[in-house]
Amino acid sequence: MFYREAGQFKQSYAADQAIFPIRQDRIGLAVILLIAFVGIPLFGNEFLLASVMVPFLILALGAIGLNLLTGYAGLLSLGTAGFMGVGAYAAYKLSTIFPEVNILVWILCSGFFAAAVGAVFGLPSSRIKGFYLAVATLAAQFFLQWCFVRWSWLYNDNASGAIEVPARTLFGIAITGPSATPVTRYLVVLTIVVVMTLIASNIVHGRIGRSWMAVRDMDIAAQLMGIRLLPVKLLAFAVSSFYCGVAGALMVFLWLGAAEPAAFDINLSFVLLFMVIIGGLGSLIGSFFGAALIHILPIAIRMLPDALGLSIGAATVEHLTFMIVGALIIFFLVVEPHGLARLWQIGKQKLRVWPFPY
Amino acid sequence: MTLLYSIFVDPFVQMVQMPDLLAQTLWEGLVSGVLYALIALGFVLIFKASGVFNFAQGIMVVFSGLTLVGLYEKFAAAGFSGPLAAFTALALAVLVMLILAMVIERTVLRPLVNQPDIILFMATFGVTYLLIGFGEMVFGGDPKQMITDQLFLPRGAYDVAMLGGHVSFQKIDIAATVIASLMIAGLAIFFQKTRIGRALRAVADSHKAALSVGISLNQIWVIVWFAAGVVALVTGIMWGARSDVSFALQIVALKAFPVLILGGFTSVPGAIVGGLIIGIGEKLGEFYWGPLVGGGIESWLAYVIALLFLLYRPQGLFGDKIIERI
């Protein structure tokens, strides 16, 4: 009764094809965006903005990238962190070679470098799939990480081997570097993530997304229906890597401020895969749920003992966090293997028929 | 031209000129290959019987080794040390692996039966996190010394004069190779000759058919995870004796993945041959070609070797031919 589409008539094809055809969805989205763009910057403190929201949004963008590849095109990848690293290093090189061009342009352009690298490492997908492909993408992960360490041109021969973000401005306001305030960084990240999510939504609802899903569900059948597998799979790799590359560039420029090659190690790939699977394969909103759960949960667990007035050693809390996260992963998989997005759908359905059970 | 020379000619000239170095490199590669093969073996056992791509195998190696050393330390602290205590700890570690297998079967595999492979794969990630947290909390996170002497494992090295130079064979490496071979032979006999082994093979062929002739899947899963746990324990002891027991080992365990795709997920001989190819290829590549690009290529060379094989044979060297139906 709260969430009924009865009485909302679509009178044009455009209305029927809208991303949010139901009025309640549009209102809900507007409220969320209002809170995100106005409420949180006004009332959030520095910790919330810099340590919770910015990482959450960036990880969600990376998770969307992986979800396009794994959830929509059905190609399992463990090289996500490597592609994020490509984006970060490309943005760093571009912004130091051409400092006069706006940094946002370079952050978005770095995605194309990641896309090219991703497409190259996607070539084995023409022959192999499933877990075999996952291991093949591990080759990308380790090779790229080795490049970040050994190829000193990439980090301008810094003695530390790390990349440091130069200070850059947009309309006279510092958005990267140490002088940028958390609020501006948060707003920049939020804008990019919202726009790119919208684009991703359009991609997956269109012809390209449908061909990805056909390949995912059964590639031979898709081939018989006239979908050329290799271009479609490579496109999935390229688009996914584009998203991951932008997420990586944002991660270094607007979150960490400086990064060593170890920031893009295999653990980041696994964490992103968690987010996608816990959130829900083949669901954009699931990527946000997954990122929220996996990123914010450990922070919450670490804060819990203080809040309850218990004194537990820091090491013990760390171990407990590991155990709780592990147990929760298993718990969520057992309760709802289709991820949090599925729970969200079930919740919406319940709201729709409330107060009746079905 | 010099580049081509240093890629295609120079390494081979070096190999011929200094055969003792080549022999040493090959031996090192063989030993690390055996250890990769052991980890891969644990994967294959589980994948064959339950279709689960067990990411936790690497951490099981660390966890079992840590349990053994940790228990022994606790015994030693209570004034009970020496070989007897070490073997008591070993027996208890085996028991812990059995309990672990039962717990995993009950809490992870049984509720998730019939789910897509990727879900089960992620669940083993959860197991990995749990084991990392649990192991660190109980036994501490710092690297530990493996109790080699108490388990009567040899130390030191044989220096053999051969091929116009010296080649040194670590005794523990020889012991590791022998024990690994014995264990693989034992597993092969177990699979081929015993009643449970036949049931395991039946389950590997088809779950449904095995169920229909009255084989209990749950029981088989416990057995197979327990077997993988014992393999992990042996690997942990051997590897721990070569360096030390620490959580850094699980990164090394990722090397088992290229071994797996090289050998095929379902083939025990494949795991062994794949392990040897990867181990030897990796050491040769690092030693002879690594300096050309600044070294450290060990971290990804194994994957590239495996990838090249895969492009040629998508199901791995010994894997079952992939037949797809619509």
Side-chain angles (χ1 to χ4, degrees):
Chain A
M1 105 174 248
F2 294 112
Y3 186 76
R4 260 196 320 204
E5 66 272 40
Q8 300 178 28
F9 301 109
K10 282 117 192 165
Q11 293 176 324
S12 65
Y13 283 115
D16 203 27
Q17 291 172 342
I19 301 179
F20 298 105
I22 301 172
R23 191 188 302 127
Q24 288 89 333
D25 277 348
R26 287 195 292 272
I27 296 170
L29 186 76
V31 170
I32 291 172
L33 284 181
L34 197 71
I35 293 173
F37 272 103
V38 181
I40 291 178
L42 273 184
F43 302 110
N45 58 13
E46 191 162 315
F47 174 78
L48 177 72
L49 286 172
S51 306
V52 179
M53 289 312 289
V54 168
F56 156 65
L57 287 169
I58 292 171
L59 289 172
L61 187 65
I64 286 175
L66 183 60
N67 215 339
L68 292 178
L69 188 64
T70 304
Y72 285 95
L75 303 165
L76 188 54
S77 165
L78 293 174
T80 328
F83 301 135
M84 285 177 74
V86 172
Y89 278 85
Y92 174 71
K93 280 308 282 185
L94 287 167
S95 70
T96 46
I97 294 174
F98 307 102
E100 64 276 11
V101 180
N102 193 309
I103 184 71
L104 288 185
V105 175
W106 287 143
I107 286 179
L108 293 177
C109 274
S110 63
F112 290 105
F113 288 84
V117 173
V120 170
F121 281 105
L123 281 174
S125 65
S126 64
R127 296 267 296 164
I128 52 184
K129 52 188 167 189
F131 288 120
Y132 287 94
L133 181 65
V135 179
T137 55
L138 269 183
Q141 167 70 37
F142 284 106
F143 177 73
L144 290 171
Q145 211 190 334
W146 176 83
C147 284
F148 302 149
V149 176
R150 300 278 165 172
W151 194 3
S152 59
W153 178 80
L154 280 177
Y155 47 88
N156 287 353
D157 303 306
N158 275 347
S160 61
I163 50 175
E164 299 241 345
V165 173
R168 294 282 184 272
T169 57
L170 179 71
F171 308 127
I173 305 167
I175 56 169
T176 66
S179 57
T181 61
V183 175
T184 42
R185 284 191 285 152
Y186 167 73
L187 285 174
V188 170
V189 171
L190 182 65
T191 314
I192 293 178
V193 170
V194 166
V195 172
M196 286 185 69
T197 308
L198 198 65
I199 296 172
S201 169
N202 273 313
I203 292 174
V204 298
H205 286 101
R207 189 181 57 82
I208 298 171
R210 277 163 209 277
S211 60
W212 285 347
M213 286 184 259
V215 170
R216 171 193 67 190
D217 291 342
M218 180 168 279
D219 52 353
I220 296 180
Q223 200 172 18
L224 289 174
M225 285 163 61
I227 294 171
R228 288 189 297 153
L229 288 188
L230 187 60
V232 166
K233 286 182 177 177
L234 286 189
L235 187 67
F237 263 100
V239 174
S240 154
S241 304
F242 182 90
Y243 274 77
C244 293
V246 173
L250 287 176
M251 181 171 141
V252 171
F253 277 73
L254 292 156
W255 169 16
L256 298 174
E260 291 179 350
F264 301 104
D265 70 356
I266 180 101
N267 284 329
L268 182 61
S269 295
F270 287 141
V271 165
L272 284 165
L273 193 60
F274 276 144
M275 293 177 179
V276 169
I277 296 197
I278 297 281
L281 283 165
S283 159
L284 292 179
I285 193 161
S287 306
F288 284 94
F289 289 149
L293 186 76
I294 300 282
H295 177 68
I296 297 175
L297 189 72
I299 297 179
I301 293 175
R302 272 181 217 119
M303 285 164 69
L304 199 61
D306 284 341
L308 293 178
L310 299 172
S311 62
I312 306 175
T316 316
V317 173
E318 198 61 32
H319 304 154
L320 278 178
T321 311
F322 257 99
M323 288 180 67
I324 293 172
V325 169
L328 274 176
I329 288 169
I330 297 174
F331 173 76
F332 273 108
L333 289 177
V334 169
V335 171
E336 188 47 84
H338 299 285
L340 298 173
R342 176 93 185 132
L343 287 180
W344 173 249
Q345 270 181 345
I346 293 172
K348 282 207 289 195
Q349 184 61 22
K350 292 262 185 253
L351 278 180
R352 193 168 167 223
V353 297
W354 195 86
F356 304 108
Y358 50 84
Chain B
M1 204 56 211
T2 29
L3 182 69
L4 287 180
Y5 177 80
S6 57
I7 291 175
F8 291 109
V9 184
D10 192 41
F12 298 103
V13 173
Q14 279 183 33
M15 283 182 203
V16 175
Q17 276 172 351
M18 284 179 282
D20 54 329
L21 266 182
L22 178 65
Q24 183 76 55
T25 317
L26 283 177
W27 169 247
E28 304 253 310
L30 184 78
V31 173
S32 53
V34 167
L35 291 175
Y36 294 156
L38 277 181
I39 300 181
L41 188 65
F43 273 106
V44 169
L45 284 177
I46 289 177
F47 191 83
K48 267 176 86 98
S50 54
V52 177
F53 188 89
N54 179 25
F55 185 78
Q57 184 68 29
I59 199 68
M60 274 163 72
V61 170
V62 183
F63 183 74
S64 56
L66 208 60
T67 310
L68 174 61
V69 182
L71 282 175
Y72 181 77
E73 277 179 3
K74 295 242 180 339
F75 286 155
F80 174 43
S81 61
L84 188 62
F87 281 98
T88 316
L90 186 65
L92 281 178
V94 171
L95 190 66
V96 168
M97 294 324 276
L98 178 62
I99 294 169
L100 182 70
M102 288 161 104
V103 170
I104 288 178
E105 193 276 327
R106 191 69 195 83
T107 57
V108 180
L109 296 179
R110 211 183 286 183
L112 284 176
V113 71
N114 253 343
Q115 292 296 340
D117 297 345
I118 188 169
I119 301 294
L120 284 160
F121 173 56
M122 284 330 276
T124 63
F125 260 107
V127 173
T128 307
Y129 270 55
L130 262 176
L131 284 181
I132 291 177
F134 186 70
E136 284 196 351
M137 198 160 74
V138 177
F139 301 114
D142 10 300
K144 288 192 189 337
Q145 200 74 36
M146 179 44 77
I147 40 170
T148 43
D149 292 343
Q150 290 85 344
L151 288 172
F152 302 116
L153 291 170
R155 267 201 302 199
Y158 291 115
D159 264 330
V160 182
M162 56 188 275
L163 303 166
H166 282 282
V167 182
S168 102
F169 296 96
Q170 295 287 329
K171 284 183 191 166
I172 184 71
D173 290 350
I174 300 172
T177 317
V178 171
I179 292 176
S181 318
L182 284 179
M183 198 174 64
I184 290 164
L187 279 174
I189 293 171
F190 175 68
F191 265 89
Q192 296 298 330
K193 302 288 177 194
T194 64
R195 200 182 155 78
I196 297 173
R198 272 206 299 278
L200 284 176
R201 280 189 295 149
V203 171
D205 269 356
S206 161
H207 286 187
K208 272 184 202 157
L211 269 178
S212 69
V213 296
I215 295 169
S216 158
L217 272 185
N218 297 330
Q219 207 182 348
I220 292 297
W221 282 340
V222 171
I223 292 171
V224 93
W225 277 75
F226 174 55
V230 172
V231 172
L233 179 60
V234 173
T235 321
I237 294 172
M238 292 308 156
W239 215 321
R242 297 189 77 206
S243 49
D244 48 13
V245 187
S246 73
F247 283 91
L249 263 182
Q250 57 157 328
I251 300 293
V252 188
L254 287 176
K255 283 280 173 58
F257 287 124
V259 173
L260 281 174
I261 54 173
L262 194 59
F265 286 151
T266 50
S267 159
V268 173
I272 296 157
V273 176
L276 296 182
I277 291 177
I278 293 283
I280 292 174
E282 177 180 274
K283 284 282 184 291
L284 282 181
E286 173 72 29
F287 192 75
Y288 288 102
W289 285 274
L292 288 179
V293 285
I297 62 173
E298 236 179 325
S299 64
W300 52 269
L301 191 65
Y303 294 92
V304 176
I305 297 173
L307 198 56
L308 293 178
F309 268 97
L310 265 193
L311 289 178
Y312 185 64
R313 265 183 78 84
Q315 69 272 37
L317 283 179
F318 296 90
D320 304 331
K321 185 148 180 55
I322 302 166
I323 300 167
E324 292 188 73
R325 297 190 183 86
I326 297 186

